Amino acid sequence: MHILFACPHHDPDAWVPLLQAAMPGCRISVWNPEGPPSGAQAALVWRPPAELFAHETGLHTLFNLGAGVDALLKMPEIPPHVRIVRLEDAGMAVQMAEYALYALLRVARDFEAFDQAQARQHWDTRDGTRQADWPVGVLGLGQVGARVAAVLADFGYPVAGWARTPREIPGVEVYAGREALPDFLARTRFLINVLPLTPDTQDILNRDTLSRLLPGAHLVNVGRGEHLVEEDLVAMLEEGEIAGATLDVFRTEPLPADHPFWRDPRVHVTPHIAARTLRDESIAQIAGKVAALMRGEAITGVVERGRGY
Ligand code: NDP
């Protein structure tokens, strides 16, 4: 198989030798928009230029160097017959579990208050907190969300998750389908969004849904910026309807300098780093899938375009 490397934001010198070593039976080359079409059958992509698809008409498979495919699915230039394969976990789920655990402990164990007390050299002997007071809800129970939910449940927090379809995760109460969303929100105080961005999930974090959470709620958004109606959160923080938020993704990235989230002490901003794409793990996963395809076997992680993930 001839595979093109078409990731303008990644250094090809850091990737191509490793890809070639992992797939000795394949030809790996860097896409050259100035040259003639390469005839490649597959491409590794992350935010590819639209011209790629008019230039390289032999492509039948795209390996996306990320878990989310919302940006690819918004590109009308990608012909419908082209198969899109996403990363499945590849080291991202544990990073996301770390991020969620850090955000939860900081809030639920009052660590911010202790930081403030230290600044005043105050020995703050406040009452301890109870895990039972922090029911966690995880929106999305896929490769990433299921791991997040399982880790937080393992720490002893009451954890529920919400997905499109039912499944069993030990220690996690699972709610499935749109009709179950209000009940899931009504028992949740610490809400973590790990949904993919699709037409069904866009704007799902809004005044109506967030107002159903338990009092003193905290929102963590690590899905996509377009899941959150940012003006609604800004207003609800002001009104005290939401106590705080930890946000990794935004409608505009980088977050504009004048955005109120930068200056609100109740909001913690990180620059879309909750779970980074890990090079070695990603290459190993893609090489395994390429080998399976070359043996004529089915692979997992193929995006269902109709449902958007
Ligand atoms: P998966 O496809 O494995 O899981 C998606 C989950 O969302 C599934 O449980 C699915 O339900 C559920 N879901 C999708 N649509 C709906 C819906 N309409 N109603 C209820 N549940 C729904 O994705 P991943 O776990 O691998 O990744 C999830 C997202 O996390 C990515 O798309 C990306 O946007 C984001 N992400 C962010 C990163 C960051 O650094 N901030 C890094 C990595 C990922 P079901 O199981 O029933 O199909």
Side-chain angles (χ1 to χ4, degrees), residues 145-248:
R147 181 75 174 267
V148 169
V151 165
L152 301 185
D154 211 33
F155 263 78
Y157 286 87
V159 177
W162 182 69
R164 223 166 34 88
T165 51
R167 88 266 343 267
E168 287 199 9
I169 303 173
V172 178
E173 194 185 349
V174 174
Y175 293 73
R178 200 81 190 193
E179 58 292 346
L181 184 59
D183 287 344
F184 163 83
L185 295 169
R187 49 77 57 210
T188 295
R189 183 169 177 201
F190 195 89
L191 181 67
I192 304 168
N193 174 46
V194 204
L195 287 164
L197 180 65
T198 71
D200 283 343
T201 65
Q202 169 142 5
D203 297 332
I204 193 165
L205 304 169
N206 56 48
R207 182 177 278 280
D208 175 51
T209 51
L210 296 178
S211 65
R212 293 171 189 268
L213 296 169
L214 289 169
H218 189 98
L219 169 69
V220 176
N221 188 18
V222 286
R224 285 287 182 263
E226 289 92 333
H227 284 130
L228 173 63
V229 180
E230 294 180 347
E231 314 82 80
D232 285 2
L233 178 61
V234 169
M236 292 177 83
L237 286 162
E238 266 323 298
E239 294 156 11
E241 277 219 54
I242 296 285
T246 304
L247 307 174
D248 186 54

Side-chain angles (χ1 to χ4, degrees), residues 19-39:
L19 286 162
Q20 191 62 75
M23 294 179 266
C26 296
R27 178 173 162 216
I28 313 288
S29 64
V30 181
W31 179 49
N32 175 9
E34 313 298 332
S38 69

